[in-house]
Amino acid sequence: MTCSVCNAYVTPSVRFCSNCGTPVDAEQTRIARQQSRALETTGDSDLEHTVFTVRPTMIFVKLGYALAVIGGIALVFLLASLSVPASISILLALALLLIPGYYHLRRNMVRYTVTNAKLQIDTGLVARTTRNIPLSKVQDVTVSASIPQRLMGFGDIIVDNASELGGSIVMHNISNPRHYADLLLRELRRWH
């Protein structure tokens, strides 16, 4: 609400403008108080809250960087024994880091977000595609992990939905998948 004289903001609980002292119209104050009470009673229920955001595991990327560094060092020594100039051998060794860098970039192009209303899947780097699945359409949440995945502590979360396209969404290579599946199921209980 604004003052009719100086157009300064007037809080709904006051009767006089704090800027110029002009009495505020009682009818406007009453309406503004009703609106602020309505906002207080609804609270933040209209706002969406993020439950969790997760990306695929970093295990493979870290392993790739470690192998690239070890391979780069070995390549520098091998090329040095063959009398290749150091500048060329170092450049070739650094080029090995491009391989895990590519997979790191691919990993960062996928993000799964669960809010209190939807499952959101963002893909892409420059051009982004966002797929939203309302939690009211989700029918089942399954955690799948092979033996190597279980040993390393990650797995896939499979979300079956009843949207128009139907099918299922697979959240690949998520660290601690049971934890995230439990969080998703807790939100689903509010919808079903």
mmCIF file of all heavy atoms in Angstrom, residues 49 53-54 58 81 108 111-112 117 131 134 147 162 172 175 188:
data_model
loop_
_atom_site.group_PDB
_atom_site.id
_atom_site.type_symbol
_atom_site.label_atom_id
_atom_site.label_comp_id
_atom_site.label_asym_id
_atom_site.label_seq_id
_atom_site.Cartn_x
_atom_site.Cartn_y
_atom_site.Cartn_z
ATOM 1 N N HIS A 49 9.553 -26.210 -2.701
ATOM 2 C CA HIS A 49 10.777 -26.420 -1.932
ATOM 3 C C HIS A 49 11.571 -27.551 -2.571
ATOM 4 O O HIS A 49 11.016 -28.577 -2.925
ATOM 5 C CB HIS A 49 10.458 -26.783 -0.487
ATOM 6 C CG HIS A 49 9.703 -25.712 0.241
ATOM 7 N ND1 HIS A 49 10.275 -24.525 0.614
ATOM 8 C CD2 HIS A 49 8.407 -25.649 0.635
ATOM 9 C CE1 HIS A 49 9.383 -23.777 1.221
ATOM 10 N NE2 HIS A 49 8.236 -24.439 1.241
ATOM 11 N N THR A 53 18.911 -32.244 -4.845
ATOM 12 C CA THR A 53 19.461 -32.137 -6.195
ATOM 13 C C THR A 53 20.667 -33.064 -6.245
ATOM 14 O O THR A 53 21.508 -33.040 -5.350
ATOM 15 C CB THR A 53 19.892 -30.696 -6.509
ATOM 16 O OG1 THR A 53 18.746 -29.856 -6.425
ATOM 17 C CG2 THR A 53 20.484 -30.592 -7.895
ATOM 18 N N VAL A 54 20.730 -33.882 -7.282
ATOM 19 C CA VAL A 54 21.799 -34.871 -7.370
ATOM 20 C C VAL A 54 22.267 -34.994 -8.817
ATOM 21 O O VAL A 54 21.495 -34.773 -9.745
ATOM 22 C CB VAL A 54 21.329 -36.232 -6.792
ATOM 23 C CG1 VAL A 54 20.268 -36.858 -7.639
ATOM 24 C CG2 VAL A 54 22.468 -37.184 -6.581
ATOM 25 N N MET A 58 30.831 -39.103 -9.130
ATOM 26 C CA MET A 58 32.123 -38.599 -9.619
ATOM 27 C C MET A 58 33.196 -39.675 -9.604
ATOM 28 O O MET A 58 34.341 -39.404 -9.979
ATOM 29 C CB MET A 58 32.594 -37.449 -8.722
ATOM 30 C CG MET A 58 31.990 -36.114 -9.023
ATOM 31 S SD MET A 58 32.662 -35.346 -10.487
ATOM 32 C CE MET A 58 34.314 -34.948 -9.978
ATOM 33 N N SER A 81 62.811 -41.106 -23.288
ATOM 34 C CA SER A 81 63.785 -42.161 -23.620
ATOM 35 C C SER A 81 63.957 -42.324 -25.124
ATOM 36 O O SER A 81 64.962 -42.845 -25.589
ATOM 37 C CB SER A 81 63.363 -43.491 -22.991
ATOM 38 O OG SER A 81 62.180 -43.963 -23.601
ATOM 39 N N ASN A 108 28.398 -33.226 -15.720
ATOM 40 C CA ASN A 108 27.821 -31.963 -15.267
ATOM 41 C C ASN A 108 26.656 -31.501 -16.135
ATOM 42 O O ASN A 108 25.987 -30.526 -15.788
ATOM 43 C CB ASN A 108 28.892 -30.880 -15.214
ATOM 44 C CG ASN A 108 29.812 -31.070 -14.045
ATOM 45 O OD1 ASN A 108 29.489 -31.747 -13.084
ATOM 46 N ND2 ASN A 108 30.993 -30.481 -14.122
ATOM 47 N N ARG A 111 21.364 -33.133 -14.345
ATOM 48 C CA ARG A 111 21.039 -32.823 -12.957
ATOM 49 C C ARG A 111 19.602 -33.257 -12.677
ATOM 50 O O ARG A 111 18.692 -32.951 -13.444
ATOM 51 C CB ARG A 111 21.196 -31.342 -12.675
ATOM 52 C CG ARG A 111 20.915 -30.981 -11.221
ATOM 53 C CD ARG A 111 21.122 -29.530 -10.925
ATOM 54 N NE ARG A 111 20.201 -28.743 -11.724
ATOM 55 C CZ ARG A 111 20.449 -27.525 -12.162
ATOM 56 N NH1 ARG A 111 21.590 -26.961 -11.911
ATOM 57 N NH2 ARG A 111 19.551 -26.870 -12.875
ATOM 58 N N TYR A 112 19.433 -33.996 -11.598
ATOM 59 C CA TYR A 112 18.107 -34.451 -11.164
ATOM 60 C C TYR A 112 17.728 -33.654 -9.921
ATOM 61 O O TYR A 112 18.491 -33.603 -8.958
ATOM 62 C CB TYR A 112 18.130 -35.939 -10.824
ATOM 63 C CG TYR A 112 18.665 -36.822 -11.934
ATOM 64 C CD1 TYR A 112 19.934 -37.371 -11.850
ATOM 65 C CD2 TYR A 112 17.897 -37.096 -13.055
ATOM 66 C CE1 TYR A 112 20.434 -38.179 -12.853
ATOM 67 C CE2 TYR A 112 18.391 -37.903 -14.068
ATOM 68 C CZ TYR A 112 19.656 -38.440 -13.963
ATOM 69 O OH TYR A 112 20.145 -39.228 -14.963
ATOM 70 N N ALA A 117 6.819 -30.948 -5.371
ATOM 71 C CA ALA A 117 5.751 -31.079 -6.354
ATOM 72 C C ALA A 117 6.134 -31.858 -7.606
ATOM 73 O O ALA A 117 5.263 -32.379 -8.289
ATOM 74 C CB ALA A 117 5.263 -29.691 -6.781
ATOM 75 N N ARG A 131 12.906 -31.626 -18.209
ATOM 76 C CA ARG A 131 11.721 -32.482 -18.219
ATOM 77 C C ARG A 131 11.157 -32.498 -16.804
ATOM 78 O O ARG A 131 11.885 -32.747 -15.848
ATOM 79 C CB ARG A 131 12.091 -33.892 -18.669
ATOM 80 C CG ARG A 131 10.887 -34.792 -18.741
ATOM 81 C CD ARG A 131 11.191 -36.096 -19.411
ATOM 82 N NE ARG A 131 9.995 -36.921 -19.386
ATOM 83 C CZ ARG A 131 9.996 -38.213 -19.552
ATOM 84 N NH1 ARG A 131 11.122 -38.837 -19.800
ATOM 85 N NH2 ARG A 131 8.881 -38.890 -19.501
ATOM 86 N N PRO A 134 5.303 -34.477 -12.629
ATOM 87 C CA PRO A 134 4.633 -34.198 -11.354
ATOM 88 C C PRO A 134 4.688 -35.418 -10.451
ATOM 89 O O PRO A 134 4.554 -36.556 -10.907
ATOM 90 C CB PRO A 134 3.191 -33.885 -11.760
ATOM 91 C CG PRO A 134 3.215 -33.654 -13.221
ATOM 92 C CD PRO A 134 4.406 -34.368 -13.762
ATOM 93 N N ILE A 147 26.497 -55.768 -8.903
ATOM 94 C CA ILE A 147 27.484 -56.089 -7.861
ATOM 95 C C ILE A 147 28.617 -55.059 -7.827
ATOM 96 O O ILE A 147 28.957 -54.558 -6.759
ATOM 97 C CB ILE A 147 28.012 -57.529 -8.043
ATOM 98 C CG1 ILE A 147 26.871 -58.517 -7.765
ATOM 99 C CG2 ILE A 147 29.191 -57.791 -7.121
ATOM 100 C CD1 ILE A 147 27.203 -59.955 -8.079
ATOM 101 N N ALA A 162 3.080 -42.278 -14.684
ATOM 102 C CA ALA A 162 1.865 -42.468 -15.468
ATOM 103 C C ALA A 162 1.541 -41.230 -16.275
ATOM 104 O O ALA A 162 0.384 -40.887 -16.466
ATOM 105 C CB ALA A 162 0.703 -42.797 -14.535
ATOM 106 N N HIS A 172 20.771 -42.438 -13.597
ATOM 107 C CA HIS A 172 21.942 -43.316 -13.702
ATOM 108 C C HIS A 172 23.041 -42.938 -12.718
ATOM 109 O O HIS A 172 23.326 -41.762 -12.506
ATOM 110 C CB HIS A 172 22.523 -43.268 -15.115
ATOM 111 C CG HIS A 172 21.616 -43.858 -16.150
ATOM 112 N ND1 HIS A 172 21.451 -45.208 -16.291
ATOM 113 C CD2 HIS A 172 20.823 -43.284 -17.077
ATOM 114 C CE1 HIS A 172 20.595 -45.445 -17.271
ATOM 115 N NE2 HIS A 172 20.198 -44.280 -17.765
ATOM 116 N N SER A 175 25.182 -41.778 -6.397
ATOM 117 C CA SER A 175 25.824 -42.203 -5.154
ATOM 118 C C SER A 175 24.766 -42.299 -4.058
ATOM 119 O O SER A 175 23.903 -41.425 -3.947
ATOM 120 C CB SER A 175 26.892 -41.196 -4.728
ATOM 121 O OG SER A 175 27.937 -41.171 -5.658
ATOM 122 N N LEU A 188 6.491 -38.605 -2.016
ATOM 123 C CA LEU A 188 5.364 -39.256 -2.701
ATOM 124 C C LEU A 188 4.234 -39.551 -1.733
ATOM 125 O O LEU A 188 3.062 -39.521 -2.107
ATOM 126 C CB LEU A 188 5.815 -40.543 -3.386
ATOM 127 C CG LEU A 188 6.625 -40.372 -4.665
ATOM 128 C CD1 LEU A 188 7.084 -41.710 -5.174
ATOM 129 C CD2 LEU A 188 5.816 -39.657 -5.713
#
